[in-house]
Amino acid sequence: MMQGGSTTDTECRPVTDVAQTWRTQRLSFEIARVGRVSVTADPRSAAPETVGPRADVPLTDSACGSAGSARAQDPSASTGVGADVRRVISTERAREDLALPGEVVLIPALGPVIPTSAPVIPTVEELEDGSILAIDAPAPEGPEPVDPEDPSEPPSAIDPAEPAAPGEEPDGAGPEPVERDDRKWLRTQQVLQAVWGPGVITGSGALIASDRTWFEPAVAIMREADVVGTARTDEDVDLVEIARAAARETGQVAVVHVHDGVLDVLPTGTDPRVPHLQALPARATRWPGMCPLTGVDELLPCRAEGGPDGEDDIRARLAFDARRALAVGLLGCGVCHGRGRTDDGRGNDVDVPLTLALSLGQIPRITLRTGETIEIDALADIYAAGEPF
């Protein structure tokens, strides 16, 4: 892959340990009267005294190359993709600790990421201002032409008016259609509906890679009495049980419980890769709402990845544009607000101009915890009738 025209070491491919991401991920949420909060149990930020040769976790979530390679010895070396982890950690350490008014539980809201059945041809167009517009050009549509002079040639599409007999599958038939609700990768509304109730305050949130290469939507819940500061009338409100029930109902793999200065990851049992983590020292800080992709508290826009040179470079740009759209849609951005940018807001040109971010309903691909980017059907296409996302 390339970033802004520079070549990345193609001999080194990051390999992500999914279990490790649950330890090093960042939690971000916003709840009324509490504000924007960032929480991490990464020892490099949550417990700086553990940093060093005997640190509990490696310097980054993934390592590349052979055991003796320079990159393996220094896995923080930039690959041109994602945020600078060293700067993220430095920023987190510099923030002041925030005492939360009570326990918080985050429920992921990521539905199944189903690859699109419509092949796409990634292309880019360089605009006059120097920005790159990444485009998913659809593959040629329509069935193969049928020779009208040859009646023996069957049509390439199945006539829905003549279904196959029970127990039979017509030649060339595709997989069974997926119900519309089951195709929703964004399940925030379903999770909110599942946790809504007396004594519970809800908020938006996200689970974030330490290097900002993936983002997952989430819902945060707290006790109303903790948030409002009134006399406790909701002692019987069990946030963990509410969150677990909602996670099971909406197909989530775990919930994350933040309480008493520690963090627990409580799996639902649907994904064996998710570890059961208890009492990890955690640190909460105020997130000032800067760029969610850089992870630093500066009024500087993120740098676009990829470019117009070659298929890998184009796909890197497409993945970046989708990741930026997801980050801005979930967390907002106090720097660019998802707008197209050719400068840093102070009249200084940026190296790689940014285009207008897509809405959540338009996102055509998602990067997963594994590092894999999946091309998907945009929600706007699935819910063309205007149903809520």
Side-chain angles (χ1 to χ4, degrees), residues 268-291:
T268 60
T270 58
D271 186 344
R273 298 174 300 176
V274 180
H276 186 184
L277 303 175
Q278 287 187 302
L280 297 180
R283 185 166 178 254
T285 59
R286 186 79 64 188
W287 181 56
M290 306 300 188
C291 175

Side-chain angles (χ1 to χ4, degrees), residues 14-350:
V15 178
T16 300
D17 181 348
V18 172
Q20 187 77 323
T21 64
W22 287 91
R23 176 187 290 268
T24 60
Q25 67 186 353
R26 272 57 178 167
L27 316 177
S28 182
F29 64 89
E30 182 174 9
I31 291 181
R33 300 190 67 166
V34 176
R36 290 177 168 177
V37 178
S38 177
V39 179
T40 178
D42 187 334
R44 297 166 295 180
S45 297
E49 66 274 8
T50 66
V51 174
R54 301 181 64 182
D56 293 342
V57 294
L59 197 55
T60 59
D61 293 343
S62 57
C64 299
S66 63
S69 70
R71 193 179 298 274
Q73 295 297 322
D74 181 15
S76 66
S78 175
T79 62
V81 177
D84 185 333
V85 179
R86 289 185 184 275
R87 293 192 65 201
V88 172
I89 294 171
S90 177
T91 297
E92 291 171 336
R93 289 180 179 178
R95 293 174 182 163
E96 294 184 3
D97 290 355
L98 174 66
L100 295 172
E103 60 183 309
V104 185
V105 186
L106 272 79
I107 308 101
L110 183 65
V113 179
I114 303 175
T116 181
S117 58
V120 295
I121 304 173
T123 61
V124 295
E125 176 184 350
E126 188 164 357
L127 306 181
E128 293 183 359
D129 62 5
S131 63
I132 296 174
L133 177 63
I135 303 171
D136 281 324
E141 297 182 356
E144 293 292 328
V146 177
D147 184 356
E149 301 299 327
D150 185 2
S152 64
E153 185 172 357
S156 58
I158 299 171
D159 185 356
E162 298 180 4
E168 295 182 4
E169 186 170 310
D171 293 338
E176 289 293 323
V178 180
E179 294 296 331
R180 287 158 66 91
D181 279 348
D182 291 341
R183 294 187 66 86
K184 291 175 86 170
W185 63 265
L186 181 62
R187 294 199 164 177
T188 305
Q189 293 300 322
Q190 290 94 326
V191 174
L192 282 169
Q193 181 65 30
V195 299
W196 194 267
V200 177
I201 295 291
T202 59
S204 58
L207 310 181
I208 310 169
S210 60
D211 61 359
R212 265 58 179 175
T213 51
W214 53 260
F215 292 77
E216 293 179 0
V219 169
I221 59 174
M222 294 185 69
R223 287 191 181 89
E224 181 178 352
D226 291 334
V227 174
V228 179
T230 58
R232 301 195 64 87
T233 59
D234 52 7
E235 293 287 354
D236 59 339
V237 174
D238 188 335
L239 293 179
V240 172
E241 185 52 40
I242 291 172
R244 279 178 153 168
R248 289 191 292 265
E249 179 182 333
T250 58
Q252 305 306 316
V253 299
V255 301
V256 184
H257 184 204
V258 181
H259 62 101
D260 304 314
V262 299
L263 178 152
D264 305 327
V265 175
L266 308 174
T268 60
T270 58
D271 186 344
R273 298 174 300 176
V274 180
H276 186 184
L277 303 175
Q278 287 187 302
L280 297 180
R283 185 166 178 254
T285 59
R286 186 79 64 188
W287 181 56
M290 306 300 188
C291 175
L293 281 175
T294 64
V296 299
D297 299 344
E298 299 178 5
L299 286 171
L300 295 174
C302 56
R303 177 184 173 88
E305 299 164 7
D309 303 324
E311 183 173 343
D312 286 347
D313 207 20
I314 293 172
R315 289 188 180 278
R317 183 54 186 268
L318 289 167
F320 168 82
D321 286 344
R323 190 166 70 249
R324 175 175 175 244
L326 182 56
V328 173
L330 295 178
L331 301 171
C333 177
V335 179
C336 76
H337 306 282
R339 295 178 295 136
R341 296 292 297 269
T342 59
D343 61 73
D344 62 0
R346 300 172 182 78
N348 303 313
D349 292 339
V350 296

